[in-house]
Structures are given as structure tokens and as C-alpha cells.
Amino acid sequence: MKHCLAVAACLLLLFATGCSTSHRVEVAPVEVKPIHITIDVNVRVDRALDDFFSDIDTAPAQPEATNAK
């Protein structure tokens, strides 16, 4: 019985040391670079064209010709 208890204690000690792990991780310094953002200017050009041609959009739908009766 004492022999069985000693074997169980040795096995428990082996399992306990097998479960304890330690890892060493080295982290390199992180380099932070500036971020360059490119904005699409199509919206600005589209609005400018809408403003430029707004008089065509507000023109009357009927023809202005005098001979079109």
C-alpha cells in the first residue's frame, strides 16, 4: 500500500511539473508611420458642375422657337 502511495505521489509530481510551462516572447519595437489619406474629389467636381449647369435644369420644358406652332 505504501509502495502504491509513493508511486501515485511521484506520478502526481511528474504531472504537476509537466503542466507548468513558461514561454518567453520578445516583442520588437513597433514603428508608427504617418497615414496618408487620398480623398476622392469627384463629389466636389460634381457639385460644381451641378451649380454651373443649374440654369439648364431650371429652363422651361417648352421650346422657345416662335415658328413651332
Side-chain angles (χ1 to χ4, degrees):
M1 183 74 172
K2 287 186 180 185
H3 181 61
C4 191
L5 185 61
V7 170
C10 287
L11 286 176
L12 183 64
L13 182 64
L14 285 174
F15 285 132
T17 57
C19 291
S20 66
T21 60
S22 66
H23 299 282
R24 193 170 195 174
V25 178
E26 294 182 20
V27 179
V30 177
E31 183 178 343
V32 178
K33 295 182 180 181
I35 299 173
H36 298 284
I37 300 174
T38 303
I39 299 175
D40 192 9
V41 295
N42 288 337
V43 174
R44 199 178 299 167
V45 171
D46 189 32
R47 286 183 188 159
L49 288 174
D50 285 344
D51 291 341
F52 184 76
F53 292 113
S54 64
D55 58 337
I56 295 173
D57 293 336
T58 58
Q62 299 175 357
E64 295 181 8
T66 56
N67 60 357
K69 290 185 181 182

